[in-house]
Amino acid sequence: MGKKDASARGVVVIGLGRFGGQVAESLTELGHEVLGIDENAEIVQKLADTLTHVVEADSTDEEALRQIGVAEFNRAVVGIGTDIEASVLTVLALTELGVEEIWAKAISVKHARILERVGARHVVLPEADMGARVAHLVTGKLLDFIELDDGYAIAKVCPPDEFAGSTLAQLGLRSRHGITVVAVKRPGTEAETAVPETVIGSGDMLIVSGPTEKVERLGEQGGFARS
C-alpha cells in the first residue's frame, strides 16, 4: 500500500482489545484499509479474517513499526488502555515515524495530557465521555447527547406536540433558545437537513446543535417551550 493510498483510506490501529478492536472492525466495515497491530498472538489470530492486515508486534519498537510499513500511513489509532507506558511510547514512535493524525485512548486526564505532549492530535477518554453522555440522558429529556471538544454539543430532542404544523422560522428557536436545528428526522425516514421553511410534524425528532450549556439547559427544562 503506497503513501498516497494509505493517506486516503488506510488507518493503523494499535492495541486490538475491546476499544481498538471495535474501532478496527468498524473502519473495515466502512471500507477503509486497516492495519491492525497487537502484541497478543491470540488476538491477532482471532482478527486475521476480519481486518485487511493484522500483525503481531511490539508497538513501542519504532524499528519494528517501520518494518511492517507503519510509516506509510498518515492516520493511526492507539487503543492501548491500562499500560500507560506502552501507550505513551507507541504514540511517540508513531510521531517519530511521521504519522500525522494520531488518535489515542486515555484512561485519565493526566494520561491524556501526556499523550498530547508526545504527539497525539486527538485523545479519547471513552469511560469519561460515555459517563457524561449517560448522565445527560438519564437526568434530562434529550434522546442523545454528544459534546465536542470546543464547548459545542449536538443532541436529539422531541419537540412538544404544539409545534406540529409550524415552520422553524415561525418557532424562532435559535433566537429564543440559542441553539440551531440542523436536521429533522420524521418517523420511518432518514434525517433531512433543516431550513427555515421546514414544517415540524407530529412525531418528528429534531437534531440540534449549539453551545454545550444551552443544549444542556434544553435537556434540564424538558425540551422546548413556547414563549
Side-chain angles (χ1 to χ4, degrees):
M1 185 183 300
K3 180 77 171 180
K4 184 175 182 180
D5 292 336
S7 174
R9 304 295 295 174
V11 183
V12 179
V13 180
I14 300 175
L16 301 173
R18 185 169 56 182
F19 175 78
Q22 184 60 62
V23 170
E25 291 185 29
S26 296
L27 284 167
T28 300
E29 291 172 0
L30 291 170
H32 295 273
E33 295 288 320
V34 175
L35 169 59
I37 301 173
D38 199 287
E39 63 178 4
N40 187 310
E42 185 177 343
I43 291 177
V44 168
Q45 184 175 3
K46 180 181 178 181
L47 294 174
D49 295 330
T50 303
L51 306 183
T52 314
H53 312 282
V54 60
V55 180
E56 179 186 350
D58 178 3
S59 61
T60 68
D61 186 336
E62 180 182 334
E63 186 55 36
L65 296 182
R66 188 186 305 277
Q67 290 179 7
I68 59 180
V70 171
E72 298 177 0
F73 290 77
N74 283 341
R75 296 175 293 178
V77 176
V78 179
I80 300 172
T82 55
D83 191 338
I84 295 178
E85 182 179 0
S87 167
V88 172
L89 291 176
T90 296
V91 170
L92 184 59
L94 291 170
T95 302
E96 293 295 322
L97 289 172
V99 179
E100 298 172 1
E101 294 290 331
I102 302 173
W103 282 258
K105 174 185 176 181
I107 60 174
S108 68
V109 173
K110 188 173 183 179
H111 183 197
R113 290 173 180 168
I114 295 172
L115 291 173
E116 290 173 343
R117 289 175 182 173
V118 297
R121 292 278 189 92
H122 315 272
V123 176
V124 180
L125 284 153
E127 288 80 7
D129 292 343
M130 183 54 70
R133 184 178 182 186
V134 170
H136 283 91
L137 303 184
V138 169
T139 60
K141 296 296 183 180
L142 302 178
L143 302 178
D144 203 354
F145 177 92
I146 300 175
E147 185 174 12
L148 306 180
D149 293 337
D150 54 358
Y152 204 75
I154 298 174
K156 295 178 182 177
V157 62
C158 287
D161 292 339
E162 59 265 28
F163 276 24
S166 298
T167 67
L168 291 176
Q170 291 171 332
L171 293 171
L173 302 179
R174 182 184 298 179
S175 60
R176 287 174 36 226
H177 294 278
I179 60 92
T180 300
V181 178
V182 296
V184 177
K185 187 180 187 308
R186 308 188 190 286
T189 67
E190 296 292 331
E192 298 180 358
T193 301
V195 295
E197 295 76 26
T198 297
V199 177
I200 302 302
S202 177
D204 286 354
M205 178 180 68
L206 307 184
I207 301 173
V208 304
S209 65
T212 300
E213 67 274 11
K214 293 186 178 181
V215 175
E216 289 176 334
R217 191 177 305 124
L218 189 67
E220 292 167 359
Q221 294 174 345
F224 296 104
R226 287 186 183 271
S227 56

